[in-house]
Amino acid sequence: MISGLIRRVLRRSTRFPGFRMRTGKRFLTVRMDTTNRCNLRCRMCPMRLSDEDPEREWADIDPELFRRIEDQVFPLAWTVGLSCGAEPFCNDSFPYYLAKLYRADVPVREVVTNGTLMSGDMTASLLGTPPTSLTVSIDGSTPGTHALIRGGADLEGVLGNVRRLVRLRDERGSRFPMVAFSMTLQRSNLRELPEVIELAAGVGAVSVGVVPLVPYHGLDMSGQVLEMDSEEVASIMDEASAGASRLGVELVPATPDGGGGGCPYLSGWVYIDPQGRVNPCPYWDTSRPLGDLSRESFAEIWDGEPYRRLRESVDRGRLLGNCLQCPVNTSGQRELRKV
């Protein structure tokens, strides 16, 4: 009874990045979608390819499947993100799933959104059963650049939604959700990164995460890929870092640390789509999942033969299939296939 009370207090008051009470049982970082839909078609996103797929089925997660994930996966998770490759607010039932996650005793709860659908009801849900963090995708400091990259999205409208959320949160005397920005760096927006830092500070965001563009086959984005170790990128990053320090905003990379070599994903990350298919990383060919939670238990998948073979091949340095194209484990930025 006492431990349950402590968990409830932590869930509602002190769960935030920097607070650590990790146990051996909770080792997973989970990224999952409750829908496969999005209202935008960003120019670097493989979602664009889905519109041309006659076999694509647009759907939200089945509540029974979510319950299986809640029972089998959430108890093992230190972090759960309820969005990954789609727009979470396209699912009208998203507030229900957010509330379920809030009550599941997962210490770190994350939501990533393009920020265009943060209506009054969605904002109320984000405040009533808050995630630890809400990350908003901002890909330019000017309306023109943001709209060019983000499928016509209205930058000022997104920033207005964020300001309203922060204002209502602060009026409640709450810290949650903490707001962050995420920016996919590419040639067309690199020089706007310092100004995006300023936008973040202006609306009350605590951090800006930068994600190097990964080109997907069929999107013709290879020409936008940056050489991340170039002098040009280093100069902009230095300028942005100085501005972030001055404004009290953290500038952070989004790729997990591999710990000196090897794959940073295989020992503690999992990606789950709305149909329950399990993939090991964000760069995986999703037409080849390693398991299906609608038919198998998570234990059967995590300890199963496909995962075992993949871990062994990576540990031995014999990269196969999609791993040969991985931007984390290889030096190249080749086009990836993602169905």
Side-chain angles (χ1 to χ4, degrees), residues 71-209:
D71 290 345
Q72 298 179 23
V73 182
F74 287 3
L76 304 175
W78 179 257
T79 299
V80 171
L82 275 190
S83 47
C84 178
E87 171 51 46
F89 301 155
C90 281
N91 185 346
D92 292 337
S93 297
F94 183 77
Y96 168 80
Y97 296 119
L98 182 61
K100 295 281 280 184
L101 175 61
Y102 179 75
R103 298 186 175 94
D105 289 324
V106 175
V108 180
R109 308 172 306 278
E110 301 173 341
V111 174
V112 180
T113 176
N114 61 43
T116 62
L117 301 179
M118 287 171 56
S119 65
D121 289 344
M122 286 297 179
T123 297
S125 176
L126 291 168
L127 295 171
T129 53
T132 304
S133 64
L134 178 77
T135 298
V136 183
S137 298
I138 300 293
D139 279 327
S141 63
T142 64
T145 300
H146 186 74
L148 173 68
I149 296 173
R150 288 258 146 207
D154 176 15
L155 177 61
E156 293 304 322
V158 171
L159 295 177
N161 289 339
V162 174
R163 290 189 188 97
R164 182 178 68 247
L165 174 72
V166 170
R167 175 177 58 79
L168 293 173
R169 181 201 66 191
D170 291 349
E171 288 176 357
R172 287 171 169 243
S174 175
R175 296 184 61 191
F176 307 112
M178 292 184 291
V179 175
F181 283 2
S182 177
M183 184 175 182
T184 302
L185 286 183
Q186 48 202 282
R187 293 193 179 280
S188 57
N189 69 2
L190 172 64
R191 294 190 175 278
E192 295 186 24
L193 175 59
E195 286 73 33
V196 169
I197 298 287
E198 294 182 6
L199 287 181
V203 300
V206 298
S207 66
V208 175

Side-chain angles (χ1 to χ4, degrees), residues 263-284:
C263 177
Y265 291 102
L266 285 178
S267 63
W269 290 64
V270 66
Y271 288 72
I272 307 172
D273 76 8
Q275 286 73 39
R277 293 171 294 211
V278 176
N279 297 293
C281 76
Y283 309 112
W284 193 252

Side-chain angles (χ1 to χ4, degrees), residues 20 24 27 38-39 47 49 61-62 99 118 158 169 179 194 218-219 233 247 259 292 302 313 316 332:
R20 291 292 179 265
F27 68 97
C38 185
N39 61 316
M47 183 73 71
L49 303 175
I61 196 169
D62 181 85
M118 287 171 56
V158 171
R169 181 201 66 191
V179 175
L219 295 180
V233 172
L247 295 168
D292 186 341
W302 188 252
S313 69
R316 295 176 181 178

Side-chain angles (χ1 to χ4, degrees), residues 32-35 59-74 96-97 100 272-278 291-298 301:
M32 61 177 292
D33 281 311
T34 67
T35 184
D60 299 331
I61 196 169
D62 181 85
E64 176 59 24
L65 174 59
F66 188 92
R67 186 194 66 77
R68 286 171 60 86
I69 296 170
E70 180 185 7
D71 290 345
Q72 298 179 23
V73 182
F74 287 3
Y96 168 80
Y97 296 119
K100 295 281 280 184
I272 307 172
D273 76 8
Q275 286 73 39
R277 293 171 294 211
V278 176
D292 186 341
L293 284 166
S294 68
R295 296 183 288 105
E296 308 164 87
S297 72
F298 181 72
I301 296 170

Side-chain angles (χ1 to χ4, degrees), residues 19-37:
F19 179 81
R20 291 292 179 265
M21 198 170 72
R22 190 188 297 266
T23 66
K25 182 181 179 182
R26 292 192 178 275
F27 68 97
L28 275 179
T29 294
V30 179
R31 297 283 184 264
M32 61 177 292
D33 281 311
T34 67
T35 184
N36 64 0
R37 295 178 287 131

